[in-house]
Amino acid sequence: MLLAWRRDPFTKGAAMGERSGLTLSGILWDPNAPLAILNGQMVRVGDEIGGYHVLEITQDHVAVSDGTHTIDLRLAP
């Protein structure tokens, strides 16, 4: 019997950055090499996506900056 996933088992939920247009849909936590899924793309600290640089990835949020503003994206509960 096959069971369908109702949601991605690796995330708590997706979060949309209202001002950034970025959607955080997951964080793959490894203290030495954390990854985040933003707009469907896997990114690391230092990567650029949608005009924003990834500054920090923690277990529950991702900080991005456009050079002027820093935005904190968090997973929805």
Side-chain angles (χ1 to χ4, degrees), residues 14-50:
M16 176 77 171
E18 292 176 16
R19 293 181 292 167
S20 69
L22 296 175
T23 301
L24 172 62
S25 56
I27 294 173
L28 293 101
W29 180 247
D30 176 335
N32 298 314
L35 297 169
I37 303 171
L38 293 174
N39 290 3
Q41 293 183 292
M42 292 185 77
V43 296
R44 302 173 190 267
V45 171
D47 287 352
E48 183 179 341
I49 183 166

